[in-house]
Amino acid sequence: MGRRLLIALGVLAPTCFAAWLVWQSADQPGGGAGGSAPTLMPLPDHSQPGGGDGSDASGGGSGGGNGGGAQAGSGTGRKPLAGKTVVIDPGHNPNNRKHAAAINRSVSIGTGRKECDTTGTATASGYSEAEFTLDLARRVRAGLRAKGATVELTHNGRRPWGPCVDARARAGNQADADAVVSLHADGAPAGRRGFHVILPESVNEGVADTRPIVGPSRTLGHQLADSFRRFTGSKPASYAGDGEGTDTRADLGGLNLSRVPKVFLECGNMRDPRDAADLTDRGWRVRAARGVVEGISDYLTEER
Ligand SMILES: [Zn+2]
């Protein structure tokens, strides 16, 4: 389904197709066969420690070259997400486990206090959630940049720990991001499967005021859930939220402290063997990244 869609887009918009090829070739050491190779063969894990230019949240954007004008400009080669800023937050940090004291200190999340950060979960074979989220974040960054967006990551695996959840939220605020997605995978009991998107609940307490972002975040979340489902074939988690792929929470600092549209994506359950088989599969992660990229893109292009 995704293949047909992309080919159709290529016919309609050659520049988009070219961007897709750039994205694919960046991720695919052997290159595609004749430019029509939808068999997705990403690089081995950790083969791109910097994931390109490796800019963290403090780094600059993609350059892009098309500036931030407002005209859609038909036929001028303007990329669909030019002028848009997206922050991707890879949940946790592979090194958090070595810095328990630093990540266990509490920070304010408005509705209470919570640990600065946590280690996250892992599959039975030891593939950590933090490794997964970094890998996916780098793929998503590449895909969004190919569409012209300025993309920042809250961290790129080079920090010893964290950042704390409040700093992760600030990264989106300081970038004045048009959309922020925090990437995670769940640690629920085996037998529970599927993905879900977590939306900010309306809170106005202490340093938290999500009232302005509840509406746009819900739109972002639904676009993301629809696209993620389409590209991965995964089903919405039956064990979380409304059973339709979305949940709403007031206990996450990363959402409570955000001033810009933001959602969390729990891509699957690492503790379930069948979900873990997906999450550890590079081809699946390529499709997952495309699902995230297209979901964000749907939101940002419809928003105008
Ligand atoms: Zn997590």
Side-chain angles (χ1 to χ4, degrees), residues 47-66:
S47 58
Q48 284 183 304
D53 66 12
S55 61
D56 280 4
S58 56
S62 61
N66 279 334

Side-chain angles (χ1 to χ4, degrees), residues 35-256:
S36 62
T39 306
L40 303 165
M41 295 279 292
L43 288 169
D45 289 348
H46 311 304
S47 58
Q48 284 183 304
D53 66 12
S55 61
D56 280 4
S58 56
S62 61
N66 279 334
Q71 296 293 324
S74 61
T76 59
R78 182 180 170 82
K79 294 180 177 178
L81 299 185
K84 300 291 185 183
T85 300
V86 181
V87 170
I88 300 296
D89 175 38
H92 316 281
N93 180 321
N95 300 313
N96 273 357
R97 69 190 66 187
K98 301 177 207 155
H99 297 89
I103 66 167
N104 284 338
R105 70 188 173 83
S106 76
V107 296
S108 173
I109 63 164
T111 52
R113 297 189 70 82
K114 223 167 175 183
E115 301 95 332
C116 149
D117 205 9
T118 53
T119 58
T121 186
T123 66
S125 63
Y127 181 56
S128 73
E129 180 186 356
E131 291 174 85
F132 167 77
T133 62
L134 258 180
D135 179 272
L136 188 63
R138 289 168 179 156
R139 296 177 194 282
V140 169
R141 176 175 60 182
L144 289 169
R145 283 182 174 168
K147 288 174 173 285
T150 296
V151 187
E152 299 177 6
L153 303 186
T154 57
H155 80 98
N156 197 11
R158 292 185 180 136
R159 295 172 50 99
W161 51 269
C164 295
V165 293
D166 55 344
R168 290 172 188 264
R170 277 197 300 275
N173 298 344
Q174 286 167 0
D176 194 23
D178 296 290
V180 185
V181 175
S182 185
L183 300 172
H184 290 261
D186 216 350
R192 298 181 178 185
R193 299 194 61 198
F195 74 90
H196 65 284
V197 174
I198 305 172
L199 313 174
E201 196 168 309
S202 182
V203 290
N204 179 26
E205 208 174 325
V207 288
D209 183 3
T210 61
R211 292 172 299 175
I213 67 160
V214 163
S217 299
R218 183 183 299 123
T219 305
L220 168 64
H222 282 116
Q223 299 275 35
L224 187 60
D226 287 350
S227 181
F228 191 79
R229 182 177 192 171
R230 200 162 65 239
F231 279 90
T232 61
S234 295
K235 292 197 165 49
S238 56
Y239 68 88
D242 60 1
E244 300 288 321
T246 57
D247 194 4
T248 304
R249 288 172 59 173
D251 64 328
L252 296 172
L255 294 181
N256 286 0

